Amino acid sequence: MQVTTSSPISIREYDAKLDSKKRLTLRSSNFDYYHVQELDNGVIVLEPRELTAPVQISANTLSMMDQSVKNLRAGKVSKPLDLSAFKD
């Protein structure tokens, strides 16, 4: 069985120069944020990142959680579940 790995295909190639504030401009970039890795052999790797807002819990979910805690404290709970069938 022969395993082949494909190398990345170059889409665009150009030379760039740092400006007076040590910034580098990427031309026609599809992303606003990049993760930068500087390797010990001088290679710099840029991986695109898309930043997203942290997951927020809806007001409805929060109220359901509050009600569940009230029920637990008041003793309104079901019988314990038998989960022994799920053990390894």
Side-chain angles (χ1 to χ4, degrees):
M1 177 174 166
Q2 183 179 6
V3 177
T4 59
T5 58
S6 60
S7 60
I9 298 172
S10 177
I11 297 174
R12 191 176 20 219
E13 189 173 323
Y14 57 90
D15 294 325
K17 180 182 181 304
L18 294 177
D19 66 11
S20 62
K21 294 184 179 180
K22 304 290 186 191
R23 296 177 296 194
L24 181 70
T25 302
L26 299 177
R27 300 178 193 158
S28 304
S29 176
N30 293 331
F31 298 90
D32 291 331
Y33 297 95
Y34 289 86
H35 175 75
V36 179
Q37 271 186 313
E38 294 183 24
L39 306 179
D40 58 359
N41 63 358
V43 172
I44 297 175
V45 178
L46 300 175
E47 294 179 7
R49 295 285 193 241
E50 292 202 25
L51 302 181
T52 59
V55 177
Q56 295 183 359
I57 300 175
S58 70
N60 185 39
T61 301
L62 288 174
S63 67
M64 288 174 45
M65 290 171 62
D66 289 339
Q67 187 61 45
S68 296
V69 170
K70 286 178 186 176
N71 288 341
L72 179 64
R73 289 182 178 159
K76 296 180 186 176
V77 295
S78 65
K79 295 179 182 177
L81 297 175
D82 181 16
L83 301 176
S84 62
F86 298 105
K87 287 186 179 178
D88 290 1

